[in-house]
Amino acid sequence: MTFIPPQPDTPTIDPTEPRLVTRRDALDDPPREHPRPALFAASLHHRAHHHLRRILITIGTLTALIAFVLILTTVWLRHTMHASLPQLDGALHAPGLTLPVTVTRDAQGVPAIQASNLDDLLFAQGFITAQDRLWQMDALRRHASGQLAEILGSSMVEHDRLQRTLQVSEAADRAIATLPADQFHQLQAYARGVNAYINHCIRTGTLPVEFHLLHYHPEDWTPRDTLLVSLAMFQDLSTQFPVKLRREALATHLPAALLTDLYPVGSWRDHPPTQPPPDLTTPVPEVEQIPLDRTQSSLRPGTTPGALPFALLAKGGVSRTARQLPPISTPTTEAQITNLLNLSNQFPSLRCPECRAGSNNWAVAASHSASGAPLVSNDMHLALNVPSIWYEASLHATATNTTPELNVTGFTLPGVPLIIVGRNQHVAWGFTNLGADVQDVRIEHLRGSGSNLEYQRADGSWQPVTHHHEHIVVRLGRDIDLDVLTTTEQLGAPTISTRAAGVTQIETPIITPLLSGEKRALSLAWTIYDPTTLVLPHLAVDTAPDGAAIVAALATFGGPSLNLIYADDHNHIGYHALGAIPIRGPATQHLRTLTAPLPIGSEPADEEDQLNDSDESNESPAQQPPPTALPTTKPTFDYTIGSPISPIPVDALDASQTWSGYIPFDQLPAIVDPPNGVLATANSRVQPDDYPYALALNWEPPYRTERINKLLIGRSNLTPADMLTLQNDVHSEFDLVIAQRLAYALDHAKLPGDTKRLHQAADILRAWNGDVTPNAVAPSIVAAVRLNLWPVLLIPQIDAHDQRKHRASDAVALATLYDWDEQSVALETLLQHTPKRWLPPGFANWDDLLVNVVERGLRGAHAPADLSAWHFGSHYPVEINHPIFSSLPLFDHLLGTPTGTGPRITGGDGTTIKTITLHHGPSERFTADLSNPQITWGNITTGQSGNPTSPNYLDQFLPWLNGTTFPLQLTPTQQTHTLTLLP
């Protein structure tokens, strides 16, 4: 046996000693290195090449598969869209008709329907409208009833929750039960026509492609659906309750004097159609400067948060119930404020200050026209979508024993029978939104819980709250169940002349679930909840033989509140306010406290504010406002009827705010044949200074109405071409006032920063004429300043006066709550009078402030160094999109045709007659010359068809954009298609 001695440098290790598994012992064998053979390296290279080849094959296969799917999708989409194009020529059986109906179309696809009786005409109108707009009609009824999530998924849940909470569908149910029998019969005939087309499409597999993409079939059309479509328009034109909630929240963070400045009611520029323009050359004595509306001075510093300011108007004292209100749940966090803003954004007309649902209309007397007959024009400003909200048509029916002859042309609302705006042989008419206040937010008094929950009525009694179960179907998501609570409001109507007298019960929903963090039980009173307000007198309007008859036909029209302007072939022109407008409190007379019209640039009667405020006359630009006060005349009515409108939520128990009825129709503002031969409205104040009833607080700015009157009064030989020019006018008096004031400030202040660019801005602003044309630069500067000026003014005021905010960012968030239609009037007044109470800390005067805002606005808008290249039209375009197709740009490529307009350069802004913003503008244009039924012009925004492959899908867009129009004759002479509908 051979003994091998241990190596001297190698330690002896006891094998029984515990060792860490991570430790390498000195005795461990060193790692062995195995040289890679060349064959192994070649194998790795081969394997890598093989993997790369497999990846490339996979990518190629996927690419080919995707290309195949895209090709297949393209072929299917184009085939489906072409297959769903309507039949325009020949004969088509439409079961449900009693006699054949002839339908001709012109080059723009406008149908002229000739029927032997009214029922067949309405049937055919439903059938033909559905040919072009079936999916739009279905989307409109779903929008109103809160059923969009069922087809569009979870993105529409909040919308549906809103509509279900507001009980819009239930309002339609109640209204359909009380609709006059003849109107219900008309809706049935129209529905039969729509359903005949739906059945035809299902039978032939030619439903519009939207139904295929969303995998559903439309349900049958019903008369209730027509009311839902009408209610969708009613909602767009009358929703103001979020504005009241935002005002209430902001009011608790600012003193009363500043609130008076922020929320003006009317302007010295107003031109109410029933009030003669003032003679500014007549000397007048000094008048006491008091606000136009008592509500403007009702909020005073130190007012208890829970107090109801408008109770102070009740016989000079605070009512018992006012002291019992729960505290205002003022938003104090950004999350709560965001929730309130999101509520506003649910309504298209509240998404931006210049997105309000407005319009222009006017009539010119025969003595001012070239034809010797009156002219009527109308362009209604609404949210812009593809397809257009309006559908043009000419309707003709032979007289029968029960119905008169019908010959009318104009604009229809898809889903609603007959003509909304248009003309017949004898009379033409158009509408604008009056904007009457028909919504009140009420603070309810509740007790109990669950099924035992009760609310207190004004008479002191307690009644059970009604529970409404709402089930929202969510596509590809979890369905939602809601328990919507409603209270019952008693509407006494002893003063109504043309409506049924007596007492009506209306259900008002509790809207608190829409407001995160709100602790009070807030209900919404709204005229749509009174079923008697939802009537459709369109047949009587369309067959009216003269202006007086059209006014009489609309006497029962409940809403939305509208300004009617009309003219007839007897050479009369007229105006009448329309709609059911609530009277708050008992309809009794109160001695008028306002003894003079609104003083121009009046300061609030706040003693403390007057002591600390003075106008800086050295800063006023050369152009000064008109005299201090309008001429004083003895009012026709030296009393008011009812209580003032509350701009914030009211106590549900306050009798001074309970609706006692509606303003009688024959006491609404109206006039026939004014001496100056011109009538015009554009959503600004139509309430005369001495009018006894309260119509609204939140009027649109007066600039459009002022401009229309300026360009029409005193002119002669006016033609339809002149009317079209006026509809496309882009002059902004407001922007011009702002530009001049900014130029003055830039000339007189010490300029910071880039003085060269600021000097250039001053030169541009000073030379501008006020026309907001696409190539103008001054409007870009003004727009940038307007965007920045209100935050600069509001945030320091909230910081200085608010004790409730917790962080500096709260003031920024609170400033976003400011929302008022006459915001521009408030700004104009501040810039003309430059009150010190609004001057933020750190600025010596208003000139320095305005220069700072100009510099801030240019920087924030990324204005070019050379401002002459900053053209307005390029930065403020208009764009009209399809709600489905435009969400995926791929659709345009698959279809090989545009599905939307894309951004387009245009002129005008929110203060010009041609009111236009990115997704808002004139939804139609209409002019009628009463000398001849054939001299009628009209156009819509995009086209008659909702099918992108139709030649009438976007064919009217460029003419609309460029300010041209088409004949809309009562008896069309240019016929490109003829279709006969057979029984």
Side-chain angles (χ1 to χ4, degrees):
M1 185 174 80
T2 305
F3 173 74
I4 301 177
Q7 298 298 322
D9 295 334
T10 302
T12 302
I13 304 298
D14 185 353
T16 62
E17 178 185 354
R19 300 191 308 171
L20 294 175
V21 297
T22 58
R23 186 182 70 183
R24 177 180 293 274
D25 293 330
L27 297 179
D28 290 345
D29 292 335
R32 300 179 181 179
E33 293 187 5
H34 300 281
R36 293 179 181 270
L39 181 62
F40 184 71
S43 174
L44 285 178
H45 177 74
H46 175 74
R47 290 172 62 187
H49 179 75
H50 178 69
H51 283 305
L52 178 61
R53 182 179 177 186
R54 290 180 61 184
I55 291 172
L56 292 176
I57 292 174
T58 301
I59 292 175
T61 303
L62 288 176
T63 302
L65 183 61
I66 292 173
F68 176 74
V69 171
L70 287 176
I71 293 172
L72 192 64
T73 301
T74 300
V75 172
W76 174 81
L77 270 176
R78 296 186 182 187
H79 169 76
T80 302
M81 286 197 169
H82 281 285
S84 63
L85 287 171
Q87 180 179 336
L88 304 180
D89 295 287
L92 180 63
H93 286 278
L97 287 173
T98 62
L99 293 169
V101 174
T102 301
V103 182
T104 62
R105 294 180 187 250
D106 63 14
Q108 285 71 50
V110 178
I113 306 174
Q114 179 67 58
S116 300
N117 56 71
L118 180 63
D119 279 7
D120 282 350
L121 174 71
L122 297 177
F123 179 101
Q125 185 189 3
F127 189 96
I128 296 301
T129 305
Q131 278 189 317
D132 286 324
R133 303 289 188 88
L134 179 59
W135 189 78
Q136 180 191 31
M137 294 164 63
D138 186 67
L140 281 172
R141 64 176 170 179
R142 287 179 174 274
H143 160 73
S145 62
Q147 293 179 296
L148 286 176
E150 184 176 356
I151 61 172
L152 299 178
S154 58
S155 64
M156 300 308 300
V157 164
E158 289 308 309
H159 167 273
D160 287 1
R161 189 193 304 272
L162 172 69
Q163 297 300 94
R164 301 295 184 92
T165 301
L166 295 180
Q167 296 284 280
V168 176
S169 185
E170 285 64 26
D173 290 335
R174 291 190 291 269
I176 204 70
T178 62
L179 198 67
D182 60 330
Q183 295 179 22
F184 183 75
H185 180 80
Q186 295 160 21
L187 301 192
Q188 285 181 311
Y190 184 87
R192 287 196 298 271
V194 176
N195 292 331
Y197 184 70
I198 291 174
N199 293 333
H200 167 78
C201 290
I202 293 175
R203 185 175 64 255
T204 58
T206 55
L207 281 170
V209 71
E210 293 94 336
F211 292 104
H212 294 280
L213 291 172
L214 298 175
H215 303 288
Y216 80 102
H217 282 183
E219 298 178 358
D220 283 350
W221 194 265
T222 67
R224 172 183 178 270
D225 295 326
T226 292
L227 289 187
L228 284 171
V229 173
S230 299
L231 282 168
M233 181 66 75
F234 202 137
Q235 185 175 27
D236 284 346
L237 298 184
S238 66
T239 295
Q240 283 288 304
F241 77 90
V243 177
K244 296 187 177 186
L245 293 169
R246 290 168 67 166
R247 176 167 176 170
E248 177 195 40
L250 185 60
T252 59
H253 299 270
L254 289 172
L258 300 185
L259 294 172
T260 302
D261 295 332
L262 290 174
Y263 298 100
V265 180
S267 162
W268 61 269
R269 296 181 183 270
D270 287 327
H271 285 254
T274 61
Q275 179 173 299
D279 181 3
L280 297 179
T281 65
T282 304
V284 294
E286 291 289 332
V287 295
E288 181 185 359
Q289 295 186 356
I290 44 182
L292 175 67
D293 188 272
R294 289 173 285 172
T295 64
Q296 299 304 299
S297 57
S298 60
L299 289 174
R300 291 293 179 189
T303 299
T304 303
L308 182 67
F310 294 91
L312 296 172
L313 302 174
K315 298 186 178 181
V318 180
S319 68
R320 173 186 59 83
T321 57
R323 289 190 288 264
Q324 298 173 351
L325 283 175
I328 296 174
S329 303
T330 307
T332 55
T333 68
E334 290 189 45
Q336 291 173 308
I337 294 171
T338 298
N339 180 267
L340 195 51
L341 296 175
N342 288 340
L343 175 63
S344 295
N345 289 335
Q346 290 283 345
F347 304 96
S349 63
L350 300 181
R351 288 173 185 165
C352 68
E354 297 178 343
C355 295
R356 301 297 191 256
S359 301
N360 306 310
N361 66 353
W362 60 81
V364 175
S367 57
H368 294 263
S369 77
S371 68
L375 302 172
V376 171
S377 289
N378 189 200
D379 53 299
M380 296 178 280
H381 304 158
L382 298 167
L384 302 178
N385 293 289
V386 181
S388 169
I389 189 62
W390 302 108
Y391 184 78
E392 299 169 281
S394 286
L395 307 179
H396 308 271
T398 306
T400 66
N401 293 334
T402 56
T403 59
E405 180 184 21
L406 175 64
N407 290 289
V408 63
T409 187
F411 302 88
T412 75
L413 187 61
V416 180
L418 299 164
I419 299 294
I420 308 295
V421 167
R423 70 163 304 162
N424 59 29
Q425 307 99 304
H426 307 292
V427 62
W429 65 95
F431 300 112
T432 66
N433 186 19
L434 188 153
D437 193 323
V438 297
Q439 291 182 328
D440 279 343
V441 179
R442 294 178 174 164
I443 307 169
E444 299 286 350
H445 298 251
L446 303 181
R447 71 180 185 186
S449 62
S451 60
N452 296 320
L453 188 63
E454 295 181 316
Y455 69 97
Q456 190 174 17
R457 303 185 69 166
D459 60 7
S461 63
W462 291 88
Q463 299 293 328
V465 167
T466 303
H467 295 257
H468 300 263
H469 177 255
E470 297 286 347
H471 182 72
I472 300 176
V473 177
V474 183
R475 183 181 182 186
L476 302 178
R478 179 177 297 179
D479 292 357
I480 297 173
D481 290 289
L482 301 178
D483 181 24
V484 178
L485 309 179
T486 61
T487 64
T488 301
E489 169 74 17
Q490 182 170 295
L491 176 66
T495 64
I496 297 176
S497 58
T498 56
R499 306 179 195 279
V503 175
T504 301
Q505 302 288 338
I506 62 174
E507 290 195 48
T508 57
I510 302 291
I511 61 172
T512 301
L514 300 175
L515 303 166
S516 176
E518 177 60 65
K519 304 302 182 184
R520 299 168 298 174
L522 301 180
S523 67
L524 178 66
W526 188 6
T527 52
I528 72 164
Y529 301 137
D530 177 359
T532 66
T533 65
L534 301 179
V535 294
L536 302 173
H538 303 312
L539 179 61
V541 171
D542 292 355
T543 58
D546 53 35
I550 204 171
V551 170
L554 290 164
T556 59
F557 179 74
S561 61
L562 299 172
N563 294 306
L564 164 70
I565 280 185
Y566 62 89
D568 63 26
D569 57 4
H570 299 292
N571 288 347
H572 295 300
I573 64 173
Y575 162 81
H576 208 297
L578 305 175
I581 303 174
I583 300 173
R584 275 85 175 176
T588 54
Q589 297 182 7
H590 306 276
L591 182 65
R592 185 181 295 275
T593 57
L594 181 62
T595 58
L598 176 68
I600 300 169
S602 62
E603 299 296 330
D606 188 309
E607 183 177 350
E608 179 182 356
D609 186 69
Q610 288 179 343
L611 291 174
N612 297 318
D613 187 21
S614 63
D615 288 349
E616 302 173 18
S617 58
N618 63 320
E619 295 183 351
S620 300
Q623 181 174 339
Q624 295 289 339
T628 301
L630 297 177
T632 305
T633 57
K634 178 176 174 57
T636 303
F637 300 96
D638 59 359
Y639 57 85
T640 60
I641 299 176
S643 300
I645 298 169
S646 171
I648 61 176
V650 300
D651 185 0
L653 304 184
D654 186 359
S656 71
Q657 290 297 314
T658 301
W659 295 359
S660 60
Y662 304 115
I663 301 174
F665 181 76
D666 59 1
Q667 295 181 37
L668 289 170
I671 190 172
V672 177
D673 297 331
N676 63 13
V678 172
L679 286 169
T681 74
N683 319 114
S684 58
R685 181 169 62 92
V686 298
Q687 179 174 320
D689 294 332
D690 62 350
Y691 188 67
Y693 296 97
L695 297 180
L697 296 178
N698 196 13
W699 302 100
E700 282 287 303
Y703 307 105
R704 286 182 288 126
T705 309
E706 181 186 48
R707 178 71 174 170
I708 294 167
N709 279 281
K710 180 179 180 180
L711 295 182
L712 290 179
I713 293 176
R715 293 184 62 185
S716 58
N717 296 316
L718 292 166
T719 66
D722 295 322
M723 303 298 98
L724 182 62
T725 299
L726 184 54
Q727 288 175 329
N728 286 282
D729 184 82
V730 293
H731 179 84
S732 172
E733 192 64 24
F734 171 70
D735 289 339
L736 182 59
V737 168
I738 301 299
Q740 291 175 343
R741 185 64 185 86
L742 295 177
Y744 183 92
L746 289 165
D747 288 340
H748 291 78
K750 183 179 180 180
L751 301 184
D754 187 351
T755 58
K756 180 180 179 181
R757 188 163 71 162
L758 291 177
H759 279 301
Q760 185 185 24
D763 292 338
I764 291 170
L765 293 167
R766 190 184 306 106
W768 185 47
N769 65 357
D771 290 349
V772 187
T773 57
N775 292 325
V777 175
S780 300
I781 301 173
V782 172
V785 169
R786 289 172 59 186
L787 183 65
N788 286 271
L789 187 50
W790 277 121
V792 169
L793 291 172
L794 280 168
I795 292 171
Q797 296 294 344
I798 296 172
D799 274 331
H801 296 96
D802 184 27
Q803 303 301 320
R804 299 166 180 244
K805 59 182 172 43
H806 304 291
R807 298 171 301 171
S809 60
D810 290 343
V812 177
L814 286 166
T816 62
L817 292 175
Y818 178 47
D819 181 30
W820 195 244
D821 286 357
E822 288 193 295
Q823 194 176 105
S824 54
V825 173
L827 185 57
E828 179 188 7
T829 303
L830 291 179
L831 293 183
Q832 285 179 332
H833 297 277
T834 59
K836 286 185 178 179
R837 64 182 175 275
W838 276 100
L839 193 63
F843 294 100
N845 53 56
W846 274 77
D847 288 341
D848 290 347
L849 166 67
L850 293 176
V851 169
N852 177 274
V853 176
V854 171
E855 199 276 333
R856 183 193 301 248
L858 295 179
R859 185 175 63 251
H862 305 289
D866 180 6
L867 292 178
S868 63
W870 199 22
H871 298 148
F872 179 81
S874 300
H875 294 84
Y876 296 92
V878 63
E879 184 175 16
I880 310 179
N881 295 321
H882 188 282
I884 299 297
F885 301 141
S886 297
S887 61
L888 291 175
L890 182 63
F891 272 114
D892 287 9
H893 299 288
L894 294 178
L895 294 174
T897 186
T899 59
T901 67
R904 296 300 185 101
I905 293 175
T906 187
D909 65 12
T911 61
T912 58
I913 293 176
K914 180 187 174 183
T915 300
I916 197 161
T917 56
L918 181 61
H919 300 302
H920 180 271
S923 59
E924 52 78 51
R925 296 190 183 104
F926 169 71
T927 293
D929 187 329
L930 272 295
S931 68
N932 187 336
Q934 298 298 89
I935 307 179
T936 309
W937 301 86
N939 64 284
I940 54 179
T941 54
T942 53
Q944 289 283 95
S945 176
N947 188 324
T949 59
S950 167
N952 300 127
Y953 181 70
L954 288 175
D955 61 318
Q956 295 196 47
F957 172 68
L958 287 180
W960 173 85
L961 184 69
N962 297 324
T964 60
T965 189
F966 301 98
L968 189 60
Q969 299 169 323
L970 186 63
T971 305
T973 57
Q974 303 289 332
Q975 302 173 356
T976 58
H977 300 281
T978 302
L979 174 69
T980 302
L981 296 179
L982 301 174

